[in-house]
Amino acid sequence: LLCCVDNFQARLTVNYACLLHNIPWMESGVAENAVSGHIQLLLPGVTPCYECCPPLVVATGMPEAKREGVCAASLPTTMGIVAGFMAQNTLKYLLNFGTVSEYVGYDAMRDHFPSITIKANPECRNETCVQRQQEYAARRAAMGDAAHPLHQANKQREEREAKERAAARAKATASAAEWGIVIEARGKEDLAVHAPQPEGVEAVSVEYAYSSGAGNAAEHAQEEFVMTDGGESLEALMAKMKALQH
């Protein structure tokens, strides 16, 4: 279930219905300052429900929209970004790819995207939430990590990714073997490439044709300015150039 309502009371209603019927849901919201927001995956009994760690305005019972000094603004850009995060997380959850995030925040002022994991509150004021937590604890005691709703999906994804990595390594190895190339990496800056040599043929090595020392630089400088006496005067050469122009 995707929840995109715009007030806390509506979220509490959705939270209660999902706890009652044991339905996973994703909640999203944009803060009153209009430049931050979040998405959250709520799995009954596994992750916190909306009442386990409610926003300050809910926990204190303050009025939502008429607090002094607060303008409940909204920006289409912020809402679009948060909605995109929610849609992407939903696709990962449904299609079983990537990492499904339990909570991702967005701070537009600093381009900050905190991702955190929060445990359900055993003292949640919602009795149904506490009941779901107890049920999950019993399943976990009997099944271990397999009790988590995303365990099987995560396991399948890890196995698929491992097969893809193995296939990529096998393809790279076969390609290298086809050309008789062996790459040995002994360090970040040390990479040697070897090719097998036929019998009776010495190994081929590569070295610089010259070094770039100061002595060689001086020699090259001298070579560039060597004057040769070809027997013709400067005036004769200039006369030839003028003749070519005509």
Side-chain angles (χ1 to χ4, degrees):
L1 176 67
L2 302 184
C3 177
C4 305
V5 296
D6 62 352
N7 64 81
F8 297 115
Q9 191 58 46
R11 287 182 173 89
L12 292 176
T13 301
V14 174
N15 181 69
Y16 176 75
C18 289
L19 284 172
L20 185 63
H21 297 284
N22 202 18
I23 300 174
W25 63 296
M26 291 191 186
E27 181 266 335
S28 65
V30 175
E32 292 171 333
N33 61 10
V35 289
S36 61
H38 72 277
I39 64 168
Q40 185 175 3
L41 170 64
L42 298 100
L43 303 171
V46 181
T47 63
C49 81
Y50 197 71
E51 292 185 73
C52 279
C53 49
L56 178 63
V57 68
V58 176
T60 58
M62 292 186 294
E64 287 185 29
K66 295 184 178 180
R67 289 184 293 156
E68 184 177 355
V70 173
C71 175
S74 61
L75 285 176
T77 50
T78 306
M79 292 187 291
I81 291 171
V82 173
F85 284 161
M86 187 176 185
Q88 187 78 319
N89 208 42
T90 302
L91 289 175
K92 290 190 291 184
Y93 178 85
L94 295 175
L95 302 179
N96 184 25
F97 71 92
T99 300
V100 180
S101 300
E102 293 184 5
Y103 181 96
V104 177
Y106 171 54
D107 180 357
M109 301 299 289
R110 298 181 298 163
D111 287 337
H112 182 49
F113 303 88
S115 180
I116 59 177
T117 299
I118 308 173
K119 293 184 178 180
N121 181 8
E123 299 180 358
C124 179
R125 63 184 182 182
N126 189 308
E127 296 180 357
T128 307
C129 176
V130 175
Q131 178 184 346
R132 295 301 183 196
Q133 291 182 50
Q134 294 171 350
E135 294 171 355
Y136 174 65
R139 292 196 305 272
R140 188 172 179 82
M143 303 170 58
D145 293 340
H148 196 285
L150 298 179
H151 174 76
Q152 188 62 27
N154 291 337
K155 183 179 179 181
Q156 292 176 356
R157 184 185 68 250
E158 291 172 359
E159 291 175 351
R160 182 176 65 249
E161 292 175 351
K163 290 180 180 178
E164 292 173 353
R165 288 193 297 269
R169 285 195 298 268
K171 183 177 180 180
T173 302
S175 179
E178 180 181 358
W179 295 96
I181 297 174
V182 178
I183 300 178
E184 297 178 358
R186 295 189 292 272
K188 185 176 181 181
E189 303 297 337
D190 185 8
L191 186 65
V193 180
H194 303 283
Q197 300 293 329
E199 294 184 3
V201 178
E202 295 183 359
V204 178
S205 61
V206 179
E207 62 181 11
Y208 289 109
Y210 62 89
S211 61
S212 57
N216 284 340
E219 292 177 5
H220 286 295
Q222 291 178 359
E223 292 174 359
E224 290 178 1
F225 294 98
V226 172
M227 302 294 293
T228 59
D229 185 4
E232 291 185 293
S233 65
L234 179 60
E235 290 78 5
L237 293 174
M238 292 179 65
K240 287 184 177 181
M241 293 180 63
K242 289 181 179 180
L244 291 174
Q245 293 178 356
H246 297 291

